[in-house]
Amino acid sequence: MENVVGDRVLIAVQAVNISRLSTHPVPTVPGTLIVVAGAGPKDSNGAGKSSFIASITALLGDEQWRFASGAKAVSELLFNAELASGAGGRQWASADHGYIVGVFAPPGMNGFPSADQPQGPVAGSPEGGAAAVAAAPSLLEQEEPDHAEGGELFEVPDTSGGALTVWLRVNQEAPHLEIRWRDGVHLAASPSEAERVARADEIWASLPRSAGKRDVVARDLTRALYGDRVRCVSFLSTSVRSKVATNLLSQPLNEISPERVFEAIAALTGLDAELEQEREARRDEHAKRVHAAQAADRLAEFEAESKALLGTFDRRDQARVRLAEALRCWRGRQARKLADAAAKDEALSADLARHRAAGAAAAEAAALVKAEIATLREDTLDRQVAQARKELAALQARAAKLDADRAVTENSADELRGRIPALEESRRFADGRDVPAAERELREVRLRLNEALKALGVADQEARSAQAALDDAEGGPAAAQLNALAAAGVGATGLLDALTSPSRPATPPTRRGCAGGRTSTR
């Protein structure tokens, strides 16, 4: 709610617990010059003139009270026992709250509307400075039982646009100012000062709260009562309001700078609070714009970093996919090589077993041949020679095969040796198996390689044994002598070879061994 007073003018003021002022209602005449005078304890000082004027300026919303800051200075208007001690006020306690009551009526209303009953004489007592109060007979009346309960001095019709009573409660503690109002005239009326003070508390409690569940406080006083109008301009250079800023009434205009004139006009019209709010709003807006710019910069930086990170994440995901594919291919290749090596190892093992069996058979055959040579007869020699030749051809073929197998085995061994460094390097970079498993597999491969080398050595030994057996079969025990004679260009043959049977054609001159190891030349 705003501008509840509207066009009404102030026609009466009542102060309760305000300085040393009496609680009697004081009528005012709008549009006239009102001179406030009074007598204090010794002279005119201390009569309460400035306090009376200050209470009216607070009621009319003078911005010099700094309502936007809570109007703490208004609490200095309350009755103070220490300041009043010089006037016999020691028997009273300082007031913690008081009231400034104003009655507003439409312009042109002279006094209060009278009721049907006759008006009595002025009700009041001379204590509290009655000399400063000029009470009109039309303002006050004697207490009537019908009106005492309601607290109204006069029966005022509650019509739209009629009288309005505004109550300002001044507190020593925050909130320092509370405002309530009600249509009609509602003043504290009782025969004595104490009763009027108690009656003021009762009337305040009966008034409705001005802002729903709470009361209007100082910062909303001018807006709620007078809207955007300026109802009062004052200058009080007293202890009642000691901290008063320089305004247009305090000194000549030629002594005020243009900037100060503007500030005074702003304070006069109540715009200083709005200007301060505007400055605060502009500072807040500037801070918010700076913050927004910084936020935009941070956002751009964050988006750039996010874009770079997202690109990095995409490349990393692609690298992971490619790495997984490469590992899969690498494991497949290694598995393929391992399978091929295992198959080749099995084939070599089978060949080695066959070679061993063949070597054993050749050894047995050589032993049998030696035994047979020792017991040879002339009639069985040819058959044995033929059989020996056949066995020689078989042994030669087997020896050739063994030579070929040895060459293949050596090639395989060289290939396996050449693969060891690469496998060692692969083992360090391989992710498919752990180090113990790879080392175990490497040891197994090396064991198989050693076994293959051993088999190769055995095969070489067997080949050499077979060659020796072949040489023995061809030349007999005198093979060395025959070889030496052949190297010297002397034709020689074994004695038994030289003895030919009548039914057998003579053999061509060759070197042959015999059981006795004897040789002959021709």
Side-chain angles (χ1 to χ4, degrees), residues 18-91:
I18 300 299
S19 186
R20 284 174 290 195
L21 297 177
S22 169
T23 57
H24 291 89
V26 179
T28 60
V29 180
T32 61
L33 176 64
I34 300 176
V35 179
V36 180
K42 296 180 180 180
D43 50 17
S44 63
N45 292 327
K49 303 183 297 297
S50 298
S51 299
F52 179 73
I53 297 174
S55 62
I56 294 178
T57 62
L59 178 65
L60 295 179
D62 183 7
E63 286 294 337
Q64 292 284 319
W65 288 106
R66 302 186 184 278
F67 294 109
S69 301
K72 186 178 185 302
V74 179
S75 62
E76 298 177 4
L77 296 176
L78 293 173
F79 176 75
N80 191 315
E82 295 180 1
L83 297 178
S85 60
R90 293 182 180 274
Q91 57 181 334

Coordinates of all heavy atoms in Angstrom, one line a residue, residues 18-91:
I18 N 8.0 11.3 24.3 CA 9.0 12.0 23.4 C 9.5 13.2 24.2 O 8.8 14.1 24.6 CB 8.3 12.5 22.2 CG1 7.7 11.3 21.4 CG2 9.2 13.3 21.3 CD1 8.7 10.3 21.0
S19 N 10.8 13.2 24.5 CA 11.5 14.2 25.2 C 10.8 14.6 26.5 O 10.3 13.6 27.2 CB 11.7 15.4 24.3 OG 12.5 16.4 24.9
R20 N 10.6 15.8 26.8 CA 9.8 16.3 28.0 C 8.5 16.9 27.6 O 7.9 17.7 28.3 CB 10.7 17.3 28.8 CG 11.8 16.6 29.6 CD 12.6 17.6 30.2 NE 13.4 18.4 29.3 CZ 14.5 19.1 29.6 NH1 14.8 19.2 30.9 NH2 15.2 19.8 28.7
L21 N 8.0 16.5 26.4 CA 6.8 17.0 25.9 C 5.6 16.4 26.6 O 5.6 15.3 27.0 CB 6.6 16.7 24.4 CG 7.7 17.4 23.5 CD1 7.5 17.0 22.0 CD2 7.7 18.9 23.6
S22 N 4.6 17.2 26.7 CA 3.3 16.7 27.3 C 2.6 15.8 26.3 O 2.8 15.8 25.1 CB 2.4 17.9 27.6 OG 1.1 17.5 28.0
T23 N 1.8 14.9 26.9 CA 1.1 14.0 26.0 C -0.2 14.5 25.5 O -1.0 13.8 24.9 CB 0.8 12.7 26.8 OG1 0.1 13.0 28.0 CG2 2.1 12.0 27.2
H24 N -0.5 15.8 25.8 CA -1.7 16.5 25.3 C -1.7 16.6 23.7 O -0.6 16.9 23.2 CB -1.9 17.9 25.9 CG -2.2 17.9 27.3 ND1 -1.2 17.9 28.3 CD2 -3.4 17.8 28.0 CE1 -1.8 17.9 29.5 NE2 -3.1 17.8 29.3
P25 N -2.8 16.3 23.1 CA -2.8 16.6 21.6 C -2.7 18.1 21.3 O -3.2 18.9 22.1 CB -4.2 16.1 21.2 CG -4.6 15.1 22.3 CD -4.0 15.7 23.6
V26 N -1.9 18.4 20.3 CA -1.7 19.8 19.9 C -2.3 20.0 18.5 O -1.9 19.3 17.5 CB -0.2 20.1 19.9 CG1 0.1 21.5 19.4 CG2 0.4 19.8 21.2
P27 N -3.3 20.9 18.4 CA -3.9 21.1 17.1 C -2.9 22.0 16.2 O -2.2 22.8 16.7 CB -5.2 21.8 17.4 CG -4.9 22.5 18.7 CD -3.9 21.6 19.4
T28 N -3.0 21.8 14.9 CA -2.3 22.7 14.0 C -3.2 23.2 12.9 O -4.2 22.5 12.6 CB -1.1 21.9 13.3 OG1 -1.7 20.8 12.6 CG2 -0.1 21.4 14.3
V29 N -2.9 24.3 12.4 CA -3.7 25.0 11.4 C -3.0 24.9 10.0 O -1.9 25.6 9.9 CB -4.1 26.4 11.7 CG1 -5.0 27.0 10.6 CG2 -4.8 26.4 13.1
P30 N -3.4 24.2 9.1 CA -2.7 24.1 7.8 C -2.7 25.4 7.1 O -3.6 26.2 7.2 CB -3.4 23.0 7.0 CG -4.2 22.3 8.0 CD -4.5 23.2 9.1
G31 N -1.6 25.7 6.4 CA -1.5 27.0 5.6 C -1.1 28.2 6.4 O -1.3 29.3 5.9
T32 N -0.8 28.0 7.7 CA -0.4 29.2 8.5 C 0.9 29.0 9.1 O 1.5 27.9 9.1 CB -1.5 29.4 9.7 OG1 -1.4 28.2 10.5 CG2 -2.9 29.5 9.1
L33 N 1.5 30.1 9.6 CA 2.8 30.1 10.2 C 2.6 29.8 11.7 O 1.8 30.5 12.4 CB 3.5 31.5 10.1 CG 4.8 31.6 10.8 CD1 5.9 30.6 10.2 CD2 5.3 33.0 10.7
I34 N 3.2 28.7 12.2 CA 3.1 28.3 13.5 C 4.4 28.6 14.3 O 5.5 28.1 13.8 CB 2.7 26.8 13.6 CG1 1.4 26.5 12.9 CG2 2.6 26.3 15.0 CD1 1.0 25.1 12.8
V35 N 4.3 29.3 15.3 CA 5.5 29.7 16.1 C 5.5 28.8 17.4 O 4.5 28.8 18.1 CB 5.5 31.2 16.5 CG1 6.8 31.5 17.3 CG2 5.6 32.0 15.2
V36 N 6.6 28.1 17.6 CA 6.6 27.2 18.8 C 7.5 27.9 19.8 O 8.6 28.3 19.6 CB 7.2 25.8 18.4 CG1 7.3 24.9 19.6 CG2 6.4 25.2 17.3
A37 N 6.9 28.1 21.0 CA 7.7 28.8 22.1 C 7.4 28.0 23.4 O 6.5 27.2 23.5 CB 7.2 30.2 22.2
G38 N 8.3 28.2 24.4 CA 8.1 27.5 25.6 C 9.1 28.0 26.6 O 10.1 28.6 26.3
A39 N 8.9 27.7 27.9 CA 9.8 28.0 29.0 C 10.4 26.8 29.6 O 9.6 25.8 29.9 CB 9.0 28.8 30.0
G40 N 11.7 26.8 29.7 CA 12.4 25.7 30.3 C 12.6 25.9 31.8 O 12.0 26.8 32.4
P41 N 13.5 25.1 32.4 CA 13.8 25.2 33.8 C 14.3 26.6 34.2 O 14.0 27.1 35.2 CB 14.8 24.1 34.1 CG 14.6 23.1 33.0 CD 14.2 23.9 31.8
K42 N 15.2 27.1 33.4 CA 15.8 28.4 33.7 C 15.4 29.5 32.7 O 15.1 30.6 33.0 CB 17.3 28.3 33.7 CG 17.8 27.4 34.8 CD 19.3 27.3 34.8 CE 19.8 26.4 36.0 NZ 21.3 26.3 36.0
D43 N 15.4 29.1 31.4 CA 15.0 30.0 30.3 C 14.3 29.2 29.3 O 13.6 28.2 29.6 CB 16.3 30.7 29.7 CG 17.4 29.7 29.4 OD1 17.0 28.5 29.3 OD2 18.5 30.1 29.1
S44 N 14.3 29.7 28.0 CA 13.6 29.0 27.0 C 14.2 27.6 26.6 O 13.6 26.8 26.0 CB 13.5 29.8 25.7 OG 14.8 30.1 25.2
N45 N 15.5 27.4 27.0 CA 16.2 26.1 26.7 C 15.6 25.0 27.6 O 15.3 25.2 28.7 CB 17.7 26.2 27.0 CG 18.3 27.2 26.0 OD1 18.0 27.3 24.9 ND2 19.4 27.9 26.5
G46 N 15.4 23.8 26.9 CA 14.9 22.7 27.6 C 13.4 22.6 27.6 O 12.8 21.8 28.3
A47 N 12.7 23.5 26.9 CA 11.2 23.5 26.9 C 10.7 22.4 26.0 O 9.6 22.0 26.1 CB 10.7 24.8 26.5
G48 N 11.5 21.9 25.0 CA 11.1 20.8 24.1 C 10.6 21.3 22.8 O 10.0 20.6 22.0
K49 N 11.0 22.6 22.5 CA 10.6 23.1 21.2 C 11.2 22.4 20.0 O 10.5 22.0 19.1 CB 11.0 24.6 21.1 CG 10.5 25.5 22.2 CD 10.9 26.9 22.1 CE 12.4 27.1 22.1 NZ 13.0 26.7 23.4
S50 N 12.5 22.2 20.1 CA 13.2 21.4 19.0 C 12.7 20.0 18.9 O 12.5 19.4 17.8 CB 14.7 21.4 19.2 OG 15.2 22.8 19.1
S51 N 12.4 19.4 20.0 CA 11.9 18.0 20.0 C 10.5 17.9 19.4 O 10.2 17.0 18.7 CB 11.9 17.4 21.5 OG 13.2 17.4 22.0
F52 N 9.7 19.0 19.7 CA 8.3 19.0 19.1 C 8.4 19.1 17.6 O 7.8 18.4 16.8 CB 7.5 20.1 19.7 CG 6.2 20.3 19.1 CD1 5.2 19.4 19.5 CD2 5.8 21.3 18.3 CE1 3.9 19.5 18.9 CE2 4.6 21.5 17.7 CZ 3.6 20.5 18.1
I53 N 9.3 20.1 17.1 CA 9.4 20.3 15.7 C 10.0 19.0 15.0 O 9.6 18.6 13.9 CB 10.3 21.5 15.4 CG1 9.6 22.8 15.9 CG2 10.6 21.6 13.9 CD1 10.5 24.0 15.8
A54 N 11.0 18.4 15.7 CA 11.7 17.2 15.2 C 10.7 16.1 15.0 O 10.7 15.3 14.1 CB 12.9 16.8 16.0
S55 N 9.8 15.9 16.0 CA 8.8 14.8 16.0 C 7.9 15.0 14.8 O 7.5 14.1 14.1 CB 8.0 14.8 17.3 OG 7.3 16.0 17.5
I56 N 7.5 16.3 14.5 CA 6.6 16.6 13.3 C 7.4 16.3 12.1 O 6.8 15.7 11.1 CB 6.2 18.1 13.4 CG1 5.2 18.3 14.6 CG2 5.4 18.4 12.1 CD1 4.7 19.7 14.7
T57 N 8.7 16.6 12.0 CA 9.4 16.3 10.7 C 9.6 14.8 10.5 O 9.5 14.3 9.4 CB 10.8 17.0 10.8 OG1 11.6 16.4 11.9 CG2 10.7 18.5 10.9
A58 N 9.7 14.1 11.6 CA 9.8 12.6 11.5 C 8.4 12.1 11.0 O 8.3 11.2 10.2 CB 10.2 12.0 12.8
L59 N 7.3 12.6 11.6 CA 6.0 12.2 11.2 C 5.7 12.5 9.7 O 5.1 11.7 9.0 CB 4.9 12.9 12.0 CG 3.5 12.6 11.7 CD1 3.2 11.1 12.0 CD2 2.5 13.4 12.6
L60 N 6.2 13.6 9.2 CA 6.0 14.0 7.8 C 7.0 13.5 6.8 O 7.0 13.8 5.7 CB 6.0 15.6 7.7 CG 4.8 16.2 8.4 CD1 4.9 17.7 8.3 CD2 3.5 15.7 7.9
G61 N 8.0 12.7 7.3 CA 8.9 12.0 6.4 C 10.0 12.8 5.9 O 10.4 12.7 4.7
D62 N 10.6 13.6 6.7 CA 11.8 14.4 6.3 C 13.0 13.5 6.1 O 13.4 12.7 7.0 CB 12.2 15.4 7.4 CG 13.3 16.3 6.9 OD1 13.7 16.2 5.8 OD2 13.8 17.1 7.8
E63 N 13.5 13.5 4.9 CA 14.6 12.6 4.5 C 15.9 12.8 5.3 O 16.8 12.0 5.2 CB 14.9 12.6 3.0 CG 13.8 12.0 2.1 CD 13.8 10.5 2.3 OE1 14.8 9.9 2.8 OE2 12.7 9.9 2.1
Q64 N 16.0 14.0 6.0 CA 17.2 14.2 6.8 C 17.3 13.2 7.9 O 18.4 13.0 8.5 CB 17.1 15.6 7.4 CG 17.2 16.8 6.4 CD 18.6 16.9 5.9 OE1 19.6 16.9 6.7 NE2 18.8 17.2 4.6
W65 N 16.2 12.5 8.2 CA 16.3 11.4 9.3 C 16.9 10.1 8.7 O 17.2 9.2 9.5 CB 14.9 11.1 9.8 CG 14.3 12.2 10.7 CD1 13.4 13.1 10.3 CD2 14.7 12.5 12.0 NE1 13.1 13.9 11.4 CE2 13.9 13.6 12.4 CE3 15.7 12.0 12.9 CZ2 14.1 14.2 13.7 CZ3 15.8 12.6 14.1 CH2 15.0 13.6 14.5
R66 N 17.2 10.1 7.4 CA 17.8 8.9 6.8 C 17.0 7.6 7.1 O 17.4 6.7 7.7 CB 19.3 8.7 7.3 CG 20.1 9.9 7.0 CD 21.6 9.6 7.3 NE 22.4 10.9 7.1 CZ 22.9 11.3 6.0 NH1 22.6 10.6 4.9 NH2 23.6 12.4 5.9
F67 N 15.8 7.7 6.6 CA 14.9 6.5 6.8 C 15.4 5.2 6.1 O 15.2 4.1 6.6 CB 13.5 6.8 6.3 CG 12.8 7.9 7.1 CD1 12.6 9.2 6.5 CD2 12.4 7.7 8.4 CE1 12.0 10.2 7.3 CE2 11.7 8.7 9.1 CZ 11.5 9.9 8.5
A68 N 16.1 5.4 5.0 CA 16.6 4.2 4.3 C 17.6 3.5 5.1 O 17.8 2.3 4.9 CB 17.3 4.7 3.0
S69 N 18.3 4.1 6.1 CA 19.2 3.5 7.0 C 18.6 3.0 8.3 O 19.4 2.6 9.2 CB 20.4 4.4 7.2 OG 21.1 4.8 6.0
G70 N 17.3 3.1 8.4 CA 16.7 2.7 9.7 C 16.3 3.8 10.6 O 15.6 3.6 11.6
A71 N 16.7 5.1 10.3 CA 16.3 6.2 11.1 C 16.6 6.0 12.6 O 15.8 6.3 13.5 CB 14.8 6.5 10.9
K72 N 17.9 5.6 12.9 CA 18.3 5.4 14.3 C 18.2 6.7 15.1 O 18.0 6.7 16.3 CB 19.7 4.8 14.3 CG 20.1 4.4 15.7 CD 21.5 3.7 15.7 CE 21.9 3.2 17.0 NZ 21.9 4.3 18.0
A73 N 18.5 7.8 14.4 CA 18.5 9.1 15.1 C 17.1 9.5 15.7 O 17.0 10.2 16.7 CB 18.9 10.2 14.1
V74 N 16.0 8.9 15.2 CA 14.7 9.2 15.7 C 14.6 8.7 17.2 O 13.9 9.3 18.0 CB 13.6 8.5 14.9 CG1 12.2 8.8 15.4 CG2 13.7 9.1 13.5
S75 N 15.4 7.6 17.5 CA 15.3 7.1 18.9 C 15.9 8.1 19.9 O 15.6 8.0 21.1 CB 16.1 5.8 19.0 OG 17.4 5.9 18.7
E76 N 16.7 9.1 19.4 CA 17.2 10.1 20.4 C 16.1 11.0 20.8 O 16.3 11.8 21.8 CB 18.3 10.9 19.7 CG 19.5 10.0 19.3 CD 20.5 10.8 18.5 OE1 20.3 12.1 18.4 OE2 21.5 10.2 18.1
L77 N 14.9 11.0 20.2 CA 13.8 11.8 20.7 C 13.1 11.3 21.9 O 12.3 12.0 22.6 CB 12.8 12.0 19.6 CG 13.2 12.7 18.3 CD1 12.1 12.7 17.3 CD2 13.6 14.2 18.6
L78 N 13.3 10.0 22.3 CA 12.7 9.4 23.4 C 13.1 10.1 24.7 O 14.2 10.7 24.8 CB 13.0 7.9 23.5 CG 12.5 7.1 22.4 CD1 13.0 5.6 22.5 CD2 11.0 7.0 22.5
F79 N 12.3 10.1 25.7 CA 12.6 10.7 27.0 C 13.8 10.1 27.6 O 13.9 8.9 27.8 CB 11.4 10.5 28.0 CG 11.6 11.0 29.3 CD1 11.6 12.4 29.6 CD2 11.9 10.2 30.4 CE1 11.8 12.9 30.9 CE2 12.1 10.7 31.7 CZ 12.1 12.0 31.9
N80 N 14.8 11.0 28.0 CA 16.0 10.6 28.6 C 16.1 11.1 30.0 O 16.1 12.4 30.2 CB 17.2 11.1 27.8 CG 18.5 10.5 28.2 OD1 18.8 10.4 29.4 ND2 19.3 10.0 27.2
A81 N 16.2 10.3 31.0 CA 16.1 10.7 32.4 C 17.4 11.5 32.8 O 17.3 12.5 33.6 CB 16.0 9.5 33.4
E82 N 18.5 11.2 32.2 CA 19.7 11.9 32.5 C 19.7 13.4 32.0 O 20.1 14.3 32.7 CB 21.0 11.2 31.9 CG 21.2 9.9 32.5 CD 22.4 9.2 31.8 OE1 23.0 9.9 31.0 OE2 22.7 8.1 32.2
L83 N 19.1 13.6 30.8 CA 19.0 14.9 30.3 C 17.9 15.7 31.0 O 18.0 16.9 31.1 CB 18.7 14.9 28.8 CG 19.7 14.2 27.9 CD1 19.2 14.2 26.4 CD2 21.0 15.0 28.0
A84 N 17.0 15.0 31.5 CA 15.9 15.7 32.3 C 16.1 15.8 33.7 O 15.3 16.3 34.5 CB 14.5 15.0 32.0
S85 N 17.3 15.4 34.2 CA 17.6 15.4 35.7 C 17.6 16.8 36.2 O 17.2 17.1 37.4 CB 18.9 14.7 36.0 OG 20.0 15.4 35.3
G86 N 18.0 17.8 35.4 CA 18.0 19.2 35.9 C 16.7 19.7 36.1 O 16.5 20.7 36.8
A87 N 15.6 19.1 35.6 CA 14.3 19.6 35.7 C 13.5 18.8 36.7 O 12.3 18.7 36.5 CB 13.6 19.8 34.4
G88 N 14.1 18.1 37.6 CA 13.4 17.2 38.5 C 13.0 15.9 37.9 O 12.0 15.3 38.3
G89 N 13.7 15.4 37.0 CA 13.3 14.2 36.3 C 14.0 12.9 36.9 O 14.0 11.9 36.3
R90 N 14.6 13.0 38.0 CA 15.3 11.9 38.6 C 14.4 10.8 39.0 O 14.8 9.6 39.1 CB 16.2 12.3 39.8 CG 17.3 13.3 39.4 CD 18.1 13.6 40.7 NE 19.2 14.5 40.3 CZ 20.4 14.1 39.9 NH1 20.6 12.8 39.8 NH2 21.4 14.9 39.7
Q91 N 13.1 11.2 39.3 CA 12.2 10.1 39.7 C 11.6 9.3 38.6 O 10.9 8.4 38.8 CB 11.0 10.8 40.4 CG 10.3 11.8 39.6 CD 9.2 12.5 40.3 OE1 8.6 11.9 41.2 NE2 8.8 13.7 39.9

